[in-house]
Amino acid sequence: MAKLFQPTQAGDIALKNHIVMAPLTRNRSPGAIPNDMNVEYYRQRATAGLIITEATAITHQGQGYANVPGLYSKEALDGWKRVTDAVHAEGGKIVVQMWHVGRISHTALQPNGGKPVSSTNRIAKAKTYLVNADGTGGFTDTSEPRALETSEIPGIVEDYRKAARAAIDAGFDGVEIHGANGYLLDQFMRDGVNDRTDEYGGPIENRARLTFEVVEAVTREIGARRTAIRISPVTPSGESYDSNPQAIFTHVVEGLARYDLAYIHVVEGQTGGERDYRQGDNPSFDYKALRAAYKKAGGKAAWMVNNGYNRDMALEAVETGAADLVAFGKPFIANPDLVERLEKNLPLNTPDQSTFYGGTAKGYIDYPLLEKVA
């Protein structure tokens, strides 16, 4: 059996294979509460070595899209407990991706219609997803944010800590801190977004400070070996940009090496797009050098890769040791039994892109399984 399909370990989380279901926003949790459809969706995909949930807001302020789940109400946590119980009943493992969107939000989604918060008060040329009065959904421009006061930042860190504890209490096997795709932590890390003049802006060390404070708080609360983080060094999502991504993200992974984390999740290239994406005139990002810097600093977490991997690429990455875990996104949308299909090298269902965001069971929990195809 190829190594990709053999058991492995990510911190304290024992996995039955090296295949990971990537976080996928699906906008099917009205009121930020996981429901029966969500339970079935994740249960169907429990053959993955690890499921990473869709991005899940740590607070109401952290919400950026309509009908995405949260970690900040009893009803939401009760809903998530049903999800984790269902996945565990099928022998699966599941972690929650903890999310604060920062400026990628809209006043309609914020407490009391307030402005989204960020490292900056500059609006992102980006879109968010809202539900209209008639129940239909669609994408709209994000709202103008306000820069967080320095005095507010400890409260943000505390929100992450509380959410991590709530997640473990709801039955999750661990948490993944969302530090990617132009959301709050990424907004602080990148010099193309962060225009602060306090201790959270300017030099690389300052821009990485919030990420390290969050990692410190979460690992103290639930343990490092149940904590992971996602980064996307060059993705332009959320109008994110850095003049020297190799430098800032090398500093980040070297700092993360101080913690005995479960895994580091790296999006290679443009999230959902070009794997060799470049930012401006910068040369291609060196992901091998990034991992080498992490290892040289003493890091031992599993290294998870993501973005456009197919079966052959995943087999090679794990077999050669280029990666420990491979995350698949869109293939898991249309193939609940993706692991079996990959192992047997069978054809994959084609995802219906029109049902990706919002809607009903169609395109969510009705994709055919192998036994129904045969």
Side-chain angles (χ1 to χ4, degrees), residues 8-35:
T8 188
Q9 196 80 19
D12 282 343
I13 311 170
L15 311 180
K16 53 193 173 187
N17 55 61
H18 297 250
I19 297 168
V20 178
M21 176 178 166
L24 296 157
T25 297
R26 304 301 306 276
N27 305 92
R28 284 174 168 87
S29 300
I33 301 169
N35 54 49

Side-chain angles (χ1 to χ4, degrees), residues 108-123:
L109 301 168
Q110 290 290 303
N112 303 313
K115 288 185 176 183
V117 300
S118 180
S119 60
T120 181
N121 60 11
R122 287 179 289 130
I123 191 169

Side-chain angles (χ1 to χ4, degrees), residues 7-340:
T8 188
Q9 196 80 19
D12 282 343
I13 311 170
L15 311 180
K16 53 193 173 187
N17 55 61
H18 297 250
I19 297 168
V20 178
M21 176 178 166
L24 296 157
T25 297
R26 304 301 306 276
N27 305 92
R28 284 174 168 87
S29 300
I33 301 169
N35 54 49
D36 290 347
M37 275 205 310
N38 306 149
V39 172
E40 177 62 12
Y41 172 73
Y42 286 110
R43 185 199 66 76
Q44 289 178 351
R45 290 155 178 80
T47 53
L50 180 67
I51 291 173
I52 308 171
T53 72
E54 61 208 278
T56 302
I58 59 172
T59 57
H60 188 179
Q61 182 197 68
Q63 288 280 14
Y65 301 80
N67 293 351
V68 297
L71 282 168
Y72 53 90
S73 73
K74 181 181 184 303
E75 294 78 12
L77 295 170
D78 288 346
W80 275 128
K81 185 64 168 65
R82 295 177 56 227
V83 171
T84 60
D85 284 349
V87 170
H88 291 152
E90 297 290 331
K93 297 293 174 67
I94 183 169
V95 301
V96 66
Q97 188 183 68
M98 299 197 307
W99 198 20
H100 192 309
V101 300
R103 66 178 184 163
I104 310 301
S105 187
H106 193 278
T107 54
L109 301 168
Q110 290 290 303
N112 303 313
K115 288 185 176 183
V117 300
S118 180
S119 60
T120 181
N121 60 11
R122 287 179 289 130
I123 191 169
K125 295 175 183 176
K127 300 286 185 181
T128 187
Y129 182 87
L130 299 181
V131 173
N132 304 314
D134 63 1
T136 61
F139 287 90
T140 190
D141 293 339
T142 56
S143 297
E144 180 184 7
R146 67 173 181 85
L148 282 162
E149 299 290 339
T150 308
S151 61
E152 293 179 280
I153 292 179
I156 298 289
V157 175
E158 176 66 3
D159 289 338
Y160 276 96
R161 183 198 67 79
K162 288 179 179 177
R165 171 47 55 193
I168 297 301
D169 290 347
F172 284 103
D173 296 292
V175 305
E176 178 181 289
I177 299 165
H178 200 339
N181 293 0
Y183 297 117
L184 184 67
L185 298 184
D186 208 29
Q187 290 160 30
F188 271 80
M189 284 189 277
R190 297 185 190 235
D191 63 11
V193 182
N194 186 336
D195 55 5
R196 304 176 72 87
T197 57
D198 63 1
E199 60 264 41
Y200 292 91
I204 283 173
E205 294 77 12
N206 285 2
R207 287 184 276 125
R209 188 185 305 276
L210 177 57
T211 294
F212 291 143
E213 288 179 350
V214 168
V215 171
E216 177 69 23
V218 171
T219 56
R220 281 182 178 272
E221 182 63 36
I222 68 169
R225 291 175 64 81
R226 290 196 288 183
T227 303
I229 188 168
R230 188 189 208 199
I231 57 174
S232 57
V234 301
T235 192
S237 301
E239 204 188 12
S240 52
Y241 176 85
D242 193 274
S243 61
N244 191 347
Q246 197 81 46
I248 176 64
F249 285 98
T250 297
H251 176 74
V252 167
V253 299
E254 288 173 343
L256 293 174
R258 299 193 302 263
Y259 303 91
D260 187 17
L261 298 177
Y263 64 83
I264 295 179
H265 183 176
V266 183
V267 180
E268 298 174 344
Q270 179 183 11
T271 304
E274 302 172 42
R275 286 180 46 78
D276 60 351
Y277 180 81
R278 301 182 181 197
Q279 290 211 319
D281 296 326
N282 292 332
S284 296
F285 193 90
D286 191 336
Y287 295 97
K288 289 182 179 178
L290 186 72
R291 191 182 186 194
Y294 176 67
K295 285 186 170 182
K296 185 176 180 181
K300 295 180 173 60
W303 195 261
M304 183 187 300
V305 294
N306 186 346
N307 200 25
Y309 276 79
N310 59 28
R311 182 180 188 272
D312 289 343
M313 293 166 64
L315 285 165
E316 181 180 5
V318 173
E319 203 65 43
T320 62
D324 302 302
L325 303 167
V326 180
F328 292 84
K330 290 176 185 176
F332 260 117
I333 289 179
N335 300 276
D337 49 5
L338 179 65
V339 174
E340 184 179 2

